[in-house]
Amino acid sequence: MKKIILCVFMAGCASVIPDQPTARIEFNAPEAYPEGIAYDSNADVYFVSSARLGSVGKVTPAGVYSLLINDPTFKSTYGVKVHPDGKRLFVCVGDANYSKFTSSETRKKMARLVGIDIATGKKTDDIDLSKLVPGKHFANDLTFDSQQNAYITDSFSNVIYKVTPTGEASVFADSSMFKTEGVGLNGIVFHPSGYLLTVSSGTGSLYKIDLNNSKNITKVATEQFFMNGDGLLLTENRKLVVVQNGGSDKIYELTSEDNWSSAKLSASTLVADRFTYPSTAAMAKDKIWIMNAKFSELTDSTSVPSNKFAIQHARLMPLPR
């Protein structure tokens, strides 16, 4: 009887809250610690980066991992996106924190945007971003607009770079609103209405940047801050997925009814899903999949490096209003 009463109050007996984790695509990639994820619908594979080894691999839905490229100069790879032409993969390359091959010449100094031919695994583009602004660098995530310009967040210098289709690089957005200690600007997405949305891990805020006027930067009004906010995924014009790690390890959905002047929480994953330091998100067919980066192991000197990692389905449960 107690179970029936509980069901009535919580969900009208229409559904039962799941107590098991969601589906995972597990794959073996020793010591890779993938952070970025992108889905290629043409080949039906996921591309994943490697914060530890600097490689880029691909994972089939059955969990078979293989290398796409392994370049020792990459140090670490983070955000990955399939180019709008469908033929290239673009990757944020640097040496921010966890690289096994870090060196004094590159640590917190290198920031590159690298293009890779999906069919051959050969490097097609290599744009140096580190000379655009002084100081420390961490090229973290990227997105493309409708004109095939790339926008890249630098989590240490807290600027957004722009790279044109011809490879011309510049600082697109720089604001005192972005400044913070540690890791700042992180996930970034392009909105078809003509602006960018980005999240700062350090401030927990979401920002909206006008593509026609990069000085027009506003903070999206939200009900809470997203400290340790990481990857972003725009699932439709008014819905944004925010990946949060650093202990929270949850995925949130925000909905905006005013063109992202403000947004409200509309759904989230459950504690029972047990994400392990989720980092980035990708849409595959009609489902959202999350890369479990497991970075907590890299800050624990007693941890044995993992061989197995998992891409996990994000089950977003509507929040009561």
Side-chain angles (χ1 to χ4, degrees):
M1 179 62 73
K2 289 181 180 179
K3 290 184 179 179
I4 294 174
I5 293 172
L6 181 63
C7 180
V8 169
F9 277 103
M10 294 185 67
C13 291
S15 61
V16 177
I17 294 177
D19 61 357
Q20 296 297 318
T22 53
R24 298 176 183 231
I25 302 171
E26 295 189 329
F27 59 95
N28 286 311
E31 288 192 75
Y33 290 92
E35 195 271 352
I37 183 173
Y39 177 69
D40 181 3
S41 58
N42 293 325
D44 190 25
V45 296
Y46 300 88
F47 292 106
V48 297
S49 60
S50 171
R52 183 75 173 144
L53 304 179
S55 54
V56 178
K58 53 185 178 180
V59 181
T60 70
V64 177
Y65 174 87
S66 59
L67 281 173
L68 178 67
I69 189 170
N70 187 24
D71 186 326
T73 72
F74 285 3
K75 307 293 184 176
S76 286
T77 49
Y78 273 78
V80 296
K81 291 290 187 302
V82 176
H83 189 271
D85 66 14
K87 299 177 181 179
R88 290 175 291 169
L89 185 75
F90 275 77
V91 187
C92 293
V93 170
D95 185 11
N97 39 29
Y98 300 129
S99 176
K100 188 176 182 178
F101 308 112
T102 186
S103 68
S104 58
E105 291 77 22
T106 58
R107 186 165 178 83
K108 299 185 179 181
K109 300 174 184 176
M110 183 170 68
R112 295 155 63 188
L113 179 66
V114 172
I116 304 161
D117 185 289
I118 289 174
T120 66
K122 302 296 184 182
K123 187 171 67 172
T124 60
D125 308 79
D126 197 341
I127 298 105
D128 183 13
L129 306 169
S130 65
K131 306 298 192 295
L132 296 175
V133 291
K136 298 176 181 179
H137 296 288
F138 178 6
N140 197 332
D141 199 15
L142 74 150
T143 191
F144 290 97
D145 68 14
S146 57
Q147 304 301 311
Q148 300 190 3
N149 297 296
Y151 300 88
I152 304 97
T153 54
D154 189 320
S155 297
F156 286 164
S157 65
N158 285 298
V159 300
I160 299 172
Y161 305 116
K162 177 180 179 179
V163 176
T164 67
T166 59
E168 181 182 351
S170 62
V171 175
F172 176 71
D174 185 3
S175 170
S176 59
M177 297 172 67
F178 297 156
K179 304 309 176 188
T180 185
E181 295 298 319
V183 176
L185 294 181
N186 203 322
I188 187 169
V189 293
F190 162 71
H191 194 285
S193 295
Y195 50 86
L196 303 172
L197 294 170
T198 187
V199 65
S200 170
S201 295
T203 69
S205 295
L206 285 165
Y207 302 99
K208 175 182 175 181
I209 307 103
D210 189 338
L211 287 182
N212 293 319
N213 179 11
S214 61
K215 295 187 182 299
N216 183 9
I217 302 169
T218 55
K219 187 182 296 185
V220 180
T222 56
E223 299 162 305
Q224 69 178 60
F225 291 106
F226 296 92
M227 304 302 294
N228 301 306
D230 202 327
L232 299 181
L233 177 67
L234 195 70
T235 56
E236 56 181 85
N237 285 355
R238 65 187 193 95
K239 290 187 181 295
L240 180 73
V241 168
V242 181
V243 180
Q244 187 178 40
N245 48 50
S248 173
D249 293 352
K250 291 185 72 174
I251 321 301
Y252 294 94
E253 178 191 76
L254 291 172
T255 299
S256 176
E257 303 295 350
D258 57 9
N259 209 24
W260 294 99
S261 293
S262 67
K264 293 185 176 181
L265 285 172
S266 50
S268 75
T269 53
L270 303 174
V271 173
D273 290 329
R274 297 199 288 274
F275 288 95
T276 50
Y277 205 102
S279 52
T280 51
M283 180 72 80
K285 300 181 175 68
D286 62 341
K287 291 185 177 180
I288 299 165
W289 293 87
I290 305 298
M291 187 67 249
N292 281 308
K294 301 176 76 171
F295 281 178
S296 299
E297 294 181 0
L298 295 174
T299 58
D300 182 356
S301 60
T302 64
S303 289
V304 176
S306 285
N307 292 329
K308 184 174 287 188
F309 297 90
I311 301 166
Q312 185 173 349
H313 173 221
R315 172 179 53 199
L316 290 166
M317 306 294 288
L319 295 173
R321 302 306 302 173

